[in-house]
Amino acid sequence: MKYFKIIFILGLVGIFNPSCTKELDLDDDTQLKIEKQGKLEKLDLLFDLAFNDPEKAEVDFENFLQTELITETQNFLSDPDVNNKYTLTKLAIQLNVDHSKALASLDKKSLFNIYKKMYEVDLSNRTLWGSIPEQLKQGEQLKKFEAKMTEIGDSYKKVIAEFKEKSQVDAAITEIDWWGGIFAYKPDFSKFYSGSFSFKLNKDKSWDYDSFFFIPAIPKIGALAGAQEEKEFNPELLLSPLQYEVYGDRIFFHFHIKNNYDYESQSGKLERVWNYEYKYVLKDGTLVLSEPRILNYMFPALISIGYDDPVFKTNYLEPFMGFEKDIVLSAM
């Protein structure tokens, strides 16, 4: 009995004394699972950091990739769960970093340029969203990603609203019925363009529409999207009221048109936006429009071209369009 007590006491000492315990041996699969969980948790932290400090998140993410996700003995990106989380985190960082850079470099002097940047950002962000793995298109992280997309879109809408609030009206061109026509054709006479302008600009920046020729948006050579035209435009299709803006010697027209595509007849088009900017001047009682810039956005196609684009003369060959020439509108 005496020896039994001694053995029992020694046993207790062995249990509670760490120096006497033997480390737990983990098999390779268990060890790998523990390491994998650590990588997933780190990616979650980097995902959150992307929304608070995107520049730091970008640096930390690259270091994490090179030092922990891919090592000499292990490539954790070969695991589907880690790879999906890696992709989502990378997209979140790009979403936030791109927004920070784009907003900082935004040209706020031209409404045309503001809209162009907004559409470029929207196209990029929607493409990023489409790249999110299907397995992760649910849950709180997706909601956070989508909320940031909405926030980014709202930031551009705010800039546009502030621009419009500050812009002035040129009384000399308002409350007058302006009318004029345009005619152009391909060199081989295979296609003709004939359009008219007939409208009145109001002092509240609205305008009364009778006709407005949508100069076709012809993309740069090699673009995925083909030329876009707006035929038989109906103001009832507008998603926002007709408005114009004047800034400096430029006049800007904006058209946001609803989806009127009919799948059975395969006619109409998806939701789209047309923006036109012209240099304008009053000359001998006429309103002269020149130096056109054209912006057409119908996701996922964005076409931006104008007089200042090197390929403008290539795409709008004389006398194919003749849109480099002035458009002269007379007062009726």
Side-chain angles (χ1 to χ4, degrees), residues 18 22 24 35 58 94 97 119 145 156 162 270:
K22 183 179 180 181
L24 180 63
E35 291 181 11
E58 186 177 35
Q94 185 175 346
V97 169
Y119 300 146
F145 194 100
Y156 284 92
E162 292 174 346
L270 302 175

Side-chain angles (χ1 to χ4, degrees), residues 259-271:
N259 178 0
N260 66 326
Y261 184 76
D262 187 296
Y263 287 92
E264 292 186 3
S265 63
Q266 295 187 349
S267 61
K269 291 185 177 181
L270 302 175
E271 181 181 342

Side-chain angles (χ1 to χ4, degrees), residues 209-237:
Y209 169 94
D210 187 28
S211 66
F212 186 97
F213 181 57
F214 288 74
I215 298 178
I218 300 179
K220 299 178 182 180
I221 297 173
L224 295 177
Q228 296 297 317
E229 299 180 52
E230 194 67 40
K231 298 180 178 179
E232 301 178 357
F233 168 70
N234 184 350
E236 294 182 359
L237 294 176

Side-chain angles (χ1 to χ4, degrees), residues 123 140 163 167 194 242 319:
L123 175 58
E140 294 304 315
F163 185 100
S167 66
S194 178
L242 284 174

